Amino acid sequence: MNKNIKILILYINTLFKYIHPKKFHFNLVLLSGLLLVPLQQTRSEELFLKCVGKYEINRGALIKPDWETSYLTINLDGLISTIYDKGIKKEGRTLIRRNSYTITQRDNRNSVRNIYKINGKYGTYSVESPQRYRTLIGTCQKGRG
């Protein structure tokens, strides 16, 4: 126990050396300058798409319209992208490979809910829903955002 106290006293003495009154004023000025500098949030480049698609399989008697429109905002830095589908905002991780984008949306239990695949070259769009066994196929057009 005496060893621990001696080591602790040594650390405290070393700390007081660095908090010398002359150095304290410099550290205080530096710290206050950092607090007063406004923090800027950097925004990455984004791609806005309007995608219209139709379900691949026959759903039987249609209660809702067969065509669905989704608005996608793809973050080109490969972070989180947003999807507005039927007025509901969804978010997912973005994977960018050459000119194709894959957005994976997960639920609270971290299981895959929807996989959005967009081919930028041909303008095709597909949504795979593994939990519901449905696939939506359609086309995308660039939007203004």
Side-chain angles (χ1 to χ4, degrees), residues 61-72:
L62 296 177
I63 297 170
K64 298 179 182 176
D66 211 19
W67 292 93
E68 291 196 6
T69 303
S70 298
Y71 298 94
L72 302 165

Side-chain angles (χ1 to χ4, degrees), residues 1 13 22 44 70 77 95 109 145:
M1 181 139 162
N13 288 337
K22 292 179 183 176
S44 61
S70 298
D77 281 346
L95 176 67
R109 289 178 261 153

Side-chain angles (χ1 to χ4, degrees), residues 40-111:
Q40 295 180 352
Q41 182 180 5
T42 59
R43 294 199 57 164
S44 61
E45 192 174 345
E46 294 178 335
L47 178 67
F48 300 100
L49 298 172
K50 177 183 177 182
C51 300
V52 178
K54 185 175 183 179
Y55 283 100
E56 185 180 35
I57 58 174
N58 187 3
R59 294 191 295 166
L62 296 177
I63 297 170
K64 298 179 182 176
D66 211 19
W67 292 93
E68 291 196 6
T69 303
S70 298
Y71 298 94
L72 302 165
T73 304
I74 298 174
N75 190 334
L76 294 179
D77 281 346
L79 300 173
I80 304 261
S81 296
T82 57
I83 301 131
Y84 290 96
D85 191 16
K86 299 179 204 167
I88 300 171
K89 180 181 177 182
K90 303 173 185 177
E91 292 183 342
R93 300 280 300 172
T94 308
L95 176 67
I96 301 172
R97 289 188 182 149
R98 294 186 187 170
N99 207 9
S100 67
Y101 310 97
T102 304
I103 302 170
T104 306
Q105 179 199 1
R106 297 184 177 268
D107 60 4
N108 294 341
R109 289 178 261 153
N110 207 22
S111 60

Side-chain angles (χ1 to χ4, degrees), residues 22-36:
K22 292 179 183 176
K23 293 180 182 178
F24 180 73
H25 293 293
F26 175 73
N27 290 335
L28 183 64
V29 169
L30 182 66
L31 186 63
S32 63
L34 288 175
L35 292 175
L36 295 176

